[in-house]
Amino acid sequence: MKILAVGMNYAEHNKELNNSLLLQNPVIFSKPESAVIRENKPFFVPDWAQRFDYETELVVRINRLGKNIPERFAYRYYDEVTLGIDFTARDLQSELRSKGLPWEICKAFDGSAAVGEFISKTELPAIQNIHFHMDIEGQTVQTGWTGDMIHSVDKIISYVSQFFTLKTGDLIFTGTPAGVGPVSEGMHLTGYIEDRKVLEQRIK
C-alpha cells in the first residue's frame, strides 16, 4: 500500500501559506506505509521540529489495479472515501523550501497520516460536492468543500496513474483547504464528512 498526496489544491490554503497557484497539473508527493497511524493510536508530537500542523483532507481508497487511467473512467477506481490528516512539520518545511531542498521528511515521517473510517461513495453526494470539517475540542477549525478543489479527484487519479501503477488499497490524499493550524499535546481532533463523524485523533 502506498499513499499519494496532493499539495496546494485549494486556492485559499495556498494564500494562507503565501504560495502561488499551480494550475496546470497537481503537485504530488508521497508517504510510506509507515506514515499511517494504526489501531487508533495517538499522534505523538516529535521533538525534531518546533511546529506540527494538522491538514484535513478528503481521502479516496483505490479499489482496482490501474495505469494510465483516462479521467472520464477514474470514478471506477475508487468506491470509498474518508477524511485524513496530513501532519506537517511546518517550520522545517519552510526552512527547506526556502533553500530549494526536498521537504519529504516534513510530510512523510512515521505517523504523519491519520486515516478515518471509510464510507461508500454511494452514501454521499457527488465526489465534487462533498462538505467536510475538522473540530478541535468541539470547535470547528477547518471546513472544506470538494467543489473548491483546483484539481478534481478524477483528474488527480488520472494524472498520478501516468507515473505510478495504482493498486487496490492505495490511498490518495486530495489536498487541504484553508484553516490549517498547529497541534499540541492533549488536543482531541474530530473529523466529519457532511454530518457524519469519521475520524478521531488524539495528540500526545
Side-chain angles (χ1 to χ4, degrees), residues 119-136:
I119 305 172
S120 171
K121 67 181 184 182
T122 62
E123 300 176 29
L124 296 168
I127 194 68
Q128 296 306 144
N129 191 30
I130 294 174
H131 294 83
F132 59 93
H133 68 276
M134 175 66 70
D135 292 357
I136 297 180

Side-chain angles (χ1 to χ4, degrees), residues 2-5 28-32 104 107-108 164:
K2 60 182 171 292
I3 301 170
L4 299 174
I28 304 299
F29 62 95
S30 64
K31 291 174 179 275
E104 206 80 4
K107 289 278 194 179
F164 309 101

Side-chain angles (χ1 to χ4, degrees), residues 11-55:
E12 291 303 314
H13 172 61
N14 296 346
K15 291 177 183 177
E16 72 181 350
L17 295 184
N18 298 314
N19 289 324
S20 60
L21 301 183
L22 301 177
L23 296 175
Q24 185 174 3
N25 290 310
V27 176
I28 304 299
F29 62 95
S30 64
K31 291 174 179 275
E33 189 170 354
S34 61
V36 177
I37 299 174
R38 300 187 183 278
E39 300 173 353
N40 296 316
K41 291 183 178 179
F43 173 74
F44 292 96
V45 180
D47 60 5
W48 42 261
Q50 298 300 311
R51 172 171 168 163
F52 291 85
D53 282 5
Y54 60 84
E55 296 189 4

